[in-house]
Amino acid sequence: DDKLKDRVQHLAGLRQRSAHWIMREAIAQYVDREEARESFKQDALASWASYRETGQHLTGQEVRAWLNTWGTEAETAIPKCHE
């Protein structure tokens, strides 16, 4: 719409870029974000399928305890999954 077009033109002027550059940059950022979101979703679905198939998991408490060791001298490896 005209209001959005004016906003893009205004921002392009402030950035000393073309409106086309602003739009291309916005689209690239959108696609990057949506690809990352889709990848996260697919990883979650694969994890859920694996859990349903094997029953192997870690509890939230186990994960938090492991993460709390990160960056310390007592850093540990990821715990083994269990049923």
Side-chain angles (χ1 to χ4, degrees):
D1 64 16
D2 287 339
K3 191 172 185 175
L4 180 57
K5 182 179 177 182
D6 290 343
R7 290 171 59 200
V8 170
Q9 291 289 353
H10 178 73
L11 186 58
L14 292 173
R15 299 287 186 259
Q16 297 181 352
R17 299 284 187 170
S18 67
H20 179 261
W21 185 93
I22 298 290
M23 290 182 284
R24 196 178 74 233
E25 186 70 16
I27 292 167
Q29 288 178 18
Y30 173 81
V31 169
D32 288 346
R33 183 179 65 243
E34 292 304 309
E35 285 174 339
R37 182 177 290 163
E38 186 61 29
S39 177
F40 179 79
K41 176 183 162 187
Q42 292 305 316
D43 287 348
L45 290 171
S47 293
W48 176 243
S50 176
Y51 169 73
R52 287 191 339 216
E53 184 178 314
T54 68
Q56 297 288 304
H57 69 283
L58 292 172
T59 66
Q61 184 177 3
E62 291 167 330
V63 172
R64 281 188 296 279
W66 169 59
L67 290 175
N68 285 336
T69 70
W70 284 19
T72 70
E73 290 185 18
E75 189 170 319
T76 62
I78 188 168
K80 284 192 164 265
C81 290
H82 56 81
E83 288 190 23

